[in-house]
Amino acid sequence: MKDSMIVVQALLLGLGALLLSPLGATLVATIGGLLTAAWTSQLAAFTVIFATGYGLLVDSLIWVFKARISDVEINARRFTLAITVGTATIGLLAYGTTIALGLLPRNPVAEIFILVGGILSGLFGGYLGVIVWRRAGRYFIA
């Protein structure tokens, strides 16, 4: 439940990808994963692996969708799409892995909730990223 709505993480990864290109989201996600793993040590390895994978996915999708037009300009739709696809994909991958390893039983309701939560979180996080970047991005790029 706590991992299904990750708007803040989606926002920070998107901004990290724009500020610290080419692997900014990966760096931000890995640091977040290490901090989270220190808090919940039972599955620390999975936490760090999936956090880093989330960052790599966001970085690569921003590049694949050509969401960045220049150092200061981004395409709002493509950027939001990259964040949304990355968030939904990593949520389903993480959930599928926990099912495959037998850590959780299969639950279709949870699967739908994770997919919808990932899509909504990605949309909202990507949209907020566009707003923040358009208002403050030019001040961060030297």
Side-chain angles (χ1 to χ4, degrees):
M1 189 81 144
K2 70 180 174 70
D3 292 332
S4 62
M5 298 298 283
I6 52 174
V7 174
V8 175
Q9 190 173 10
L11 168 65
L12 294 176
L13 265 59
L15 292 175
L18 295 173
L19 284 171
L20 303 169
S21 196
L23 294 173
T26 305
L27 179 65
V28 171
T30 303
I31 291 169
L34 289 169
L35 291 171
T36 304
W39 186 8
T40 56
S41 60
Q42 302 91 342
L43 300 172
F46 289 113
T47 300
V48 174
I49 289 169
F50 282 114
T52 304
Y54 183 25
L56 284 169
L57 196 56
V58 168
D59 280 327
S60 61
L61 288 172
I62 286 174
W63 180 75
V64 167
F65 293 154
K66 295 178 176 50
R68 188 178 196 133
I69 298 169
S70 69
D71 282 346
V72 221
E73 293 180 56
I74 58 172
N75 182 309
R77 288 183 180 158
R78 291 178 182 179
F79 181 81
T80 304
L81 180 65
I83 302 298
T84 302
V85 170
T87 304
T89 302
I90 203 67
L92 289 174
L93 283 173
Y95 182 71
T97 302
T98 57
I99 289 173
L101 295 175
L103 299 172
L104 287 175
R106 187 148 193 252
N107 184 346
V109 174
E111 293 168 12
I112 292 169
F113 186 72
I114 289 169
L115 180 61
V116 171
I119 290 170
L120 292 176
S121 294
L123 281 171
F124 195 57
Y127 178 73
L128 287 175
V130 169
I131 291 172
V132 170
W133 187 254
R134 286 188 173 161
R135 290 188 182 196
R138 65 177 164 255
Y139 300 114
F140 295 124
I141 304 296

